Amino acid sequence: MGRGRLGPLAVGVLVAVVAGVGVGLYWFQPWKLWQDETVTESLPAVAEPTGTPAATPDTASSPSPSAPVSGPVTLASGDLISHEHTTSGSVKLVRLADGAHVVRLENLDTSNGPDLRVWLTDAPVKEGQAGWHVFDDGAHVSLGKLKGNKGSQNYAVPENVDLSRYSSVSIWCDRFDVSFGAAELADA
């Protein structure tokens, strides 16, 4: 037997280690901690048309008011608090002139991460670790992937969502079921 050859057991262990590192890198995506993505969107005057998802147990069906108003109206707002990652900025629930609704994140500053979403939820916002995992316990609506971990951005609320059921917004990591930060929505 030659001295430079690996035995079958060593090759198996090496393959398992390489596969484990690959899966770990894919799952955790640690490079995102050093990558910031800034998004700067203006508040839309009128909502862009979006497909309305079918009603699910998390989204109660209720028509949104369609009476036109003169411009965007802030219905509720709140300041983001930190959970799993340091997070700051503010959140507004806005009714546009055409009656459509958007959740607006302003001056958002949080960490980047894998599979971050913006959720409209019915959970109370709690400080510290007590608030990290509560947002998937009750009703929630995913408004889509977080566009950027910094800046100001808009998320259309589907027409079939009964806004009276939801009282907070979370920057939710769907991969690890944890809130990066959240804001309680108080009537404006």
Side-chain angles (χ1 to χ4, degrees), residues 10-156:
V11 170
V13 168
L14 182 60
V15 167
V17 167
V18 169
V21 168
V23 168
L25 286 173
Y26 170 76
W27 190 253
F28 287 96
Q29 299 178 356
W31 56 87
K32 286 195 171 190
L33 291 174
W34 296 279
Q35 295 176 334
D36 288 330
E37 188 164 345
T38 301
V39 174
T40 306
E41 293 180 335
S42 298
L43 181 63
V46 176
E48 295 181 20
T50 59
T52 302
T56 65
D58 288 345
T59 59
S61 205
S62 173
S64 62
S66 59
V69 291
S70 61
V73 175
T74 300
L75 303 176
S77 63
D79 292 324
L80 288 161
I81 65 166
S82 299
H83 282 147
E84 172 71 21
H85 292 265
T86 302
T87 301
S88 63
S90 62
V91 176
K92 292 181 180 178
L93 175 60
V94 179
R95 183 179 60 228
L96 302 177
D98 65 355
H101 294 90
V102 296
V103 167
R104 178 162 174 79
L105 305 178
E106 292 186 335
N107 303 312
L108 174 66
D109 188 0
T110 191
S111 298
N112 206 342
D115 207 14
L116 294 179
R117 308 288 174 151
V118 176
W119 276 14
L120 190 58
T121 79
D122 68 349
V125 176
K126 299 177 183 177
E127 296 276 346
Q129 288 186 350
W132 289 14
H133 302 283
V134 300
F135 298 100
D136 60 348
D137 293 345
H140 59 274
V141 176
S142 178
L143 302 179
K145 289 188 175 190
L146 186 68
K147 298 173 185 177
N149 63 309
K150 296 188 180 297
S152 297
Q153 47 212 269
N154 306 301
Y155 296 87

